[in-house]
Amino acid sequence: MRTGRGLRAVLIALGVLIGAWLVVPTLIVVPISFSGEDSFAFPPRSWGLQHYATFFTESSWLTALLVSVQLALIVTAVATVLGTMAAFALAGRKFVGKGAIDGLFMAPLIVPGIVVAVAMYAAFLGWGLIGTPAGFITAHTVLALPFVTVNVTAALAGFDRVLERASASLGASPWTTFWSVTFPLIRPGVLAGALFAFVTSFDEVVVSLFIQSPTLQTLPVRMFTSVTNEVDPTIAAASTVVLVVSTALLGLATMTRRNRGAA
């Protein structure tokens, strides 16, 4: 018994150390973003909000932020609808080729990002989608679909299809049955998938680097450009904004999934 407790304590301590090793370097960006210096310095020798003022007022940063938010909202809507439809088509059904279709939907999570980026670049170049809003929406939707499909499929796993048949037997149309019976029960899974889709689009950088254009850049691409070509502490403010938004949305998605499990 003591050996088991000791091993558990060691594993917990190891987990805490690994978590700290992964998180602490990221958190260093936060105090740097509040530095009053015109260059990178840690710990900051003075404090101020000048980097945030630059981020929210300089046209290149503000435009990139607005582009990312707009794309993420559109991708969230498209991926949520398509992912929910795919989950309904695949959940609880067995047919020839189902495994291949499941694998196709999960491919963006399994295949290395650089491979996906090169493949999309080659395809989009022939289709004339490089540097276009339609190209970004298509690429980000493909990357976000697995998250929606997985969450909605998990929600449908605990859904009793007898309720749908009961609704239909009472004269309800398929559309009425979905909105009145099915959707309220799977809503936490749909919302969680939508939040993950937003974060996926908002944070995406590898594919975006391949399909960008000088006139259409997302915030992660602008941040990458700043890191590689400039020495601008504004990148710290941008990183903090992305960190806060992503953490808040992922935390909300986790709470949504927990509420679904409790229900």
Side-chain angles (χ1 to χ4, degrees), residues 70-89:
Q70 291 171 356
L71 284 175
L73 289 174
I74 296 173
V75 168
T76 299
V78 176
T80 300
V81 172
L82 295 180
T84 301
M85 294 170 62
F88 266 90

Side-chain angles (χ1 to χ4, degrees), residues 86 90 95 97-111 116 120 141-147 149-150:
L90 298 174
F95 52 87
K98 182 178 184 297
I101 296 177
D102 287 336
L104 184 63
F105 272 97
M106 295 298 107
L109 295 179
I110 301 171
V111 179
V116 175
M120 285 189 175
T141 299
V142 169
L143 298 175
L145 266 177
F147 295 97
T149 305
V150 167

Side-chain angles (χ1 to χ4, degrees), residues 5-255:
R5 291 179 179 176
L7 179 60
R8 181 180 180 184
V10 170
L11 292 176
I12 292 175
L14 183 61
V16 171
L17 288 175
I18 293 175
W21 181 69
L22 294 173
V23 173
V24 169
T26 303
L27 296 180
I28 290 177
V29 173
V30 178
I32 293 178
S33 70
F34 291 99
S35 170
E37 307 293 329
D38 292 329
S39 61
F40 293 100
F42 184 82
R45 293 184 292 271
S46 61
W47 302 92
L49 297 175
Q50 64 189 50
H51 303 315
Y52 286 94
T54 300
F55 176 73
F56 287 108
T57 56
E58 188 177 304
S59 60
S60 62
W61 287 105
L62 188 58
T63 300
L65 175 62
L66 294 177
V67 167
S68 287
V69 172
Q70 291 171 356
L71 284 175
L73 289 174
I74 296 173
V75 168
T76 299
V78 176
T80 300
V81 172
L82 295 180
T84 301
M85 294 170 62
F88 266 90
L90 298 174
R93 292 181 173 85
K94 295 182 180 180
F95 52 87
V96 178
K98 182 178 184 297
I101 296 177
D102 287 336
L104 184 63
F105 272 97
M106 295 298 107
L109 295 179
I110 301 171
V111 179
I114 187 64
V115 176
V116 175
V118 172
M120 285 189 175
Y121 175 78
F124 286 11
L125 192 62
W127 299 340
L129 293 177
I130 297 295
T132 64
F136 273 95
I137 293 171
T138 302
H140 288 194
T141 299
V142 169
L143 298 175
L145 266 177
F147 295 97
V148 179
T149 305
V150 167
N151 280 278
V152 177
T153 299
L156 287 172
F159 176 71
D160 189 356
R161 292 297 179 100
V162 173
L163 297 175
E164 291 180 328
R165 292 195 292 270
S167 176
S169 68
L170 294 175
S173 65
W175 189 250
T176 301
T177 298
F178 174 79
W179 283 111
S180 301
V181 178
T182 307
F183 183 74
L185 295 176
I186 67 169
R187 179 166 35 204
V190 175
L191 292 178
L195 291 172
F196 278 112
F198 185 93
V199 172
T200 299
S201 176
F202 190 73
D203 285 350
E204 169 54 40
V205 61
V206 178
V207 172
S208 298
L209 280 170
F210 277 77
I211 63 175
Q212 65 161 320
S213 72
T215 58
L216 184 60
Q217 291 184 339
T218 60
L219 180 58
V221 172
R222 178 66 180 88
M223 293 168 65
F224 181 84
T225 302
S226 177
V227 169
T228 55
N229 300 332
E230 306 169 3
V231 183
D232 184 3
T234 306
I235 182 66
S239 300
T240 302
V241 170
V242 173
L243 176 65
V244 170
V245 171
S246 300
T247 302
L249 291 178
L250 290 176
L252 182 59
T254 301
M255 292 175 58

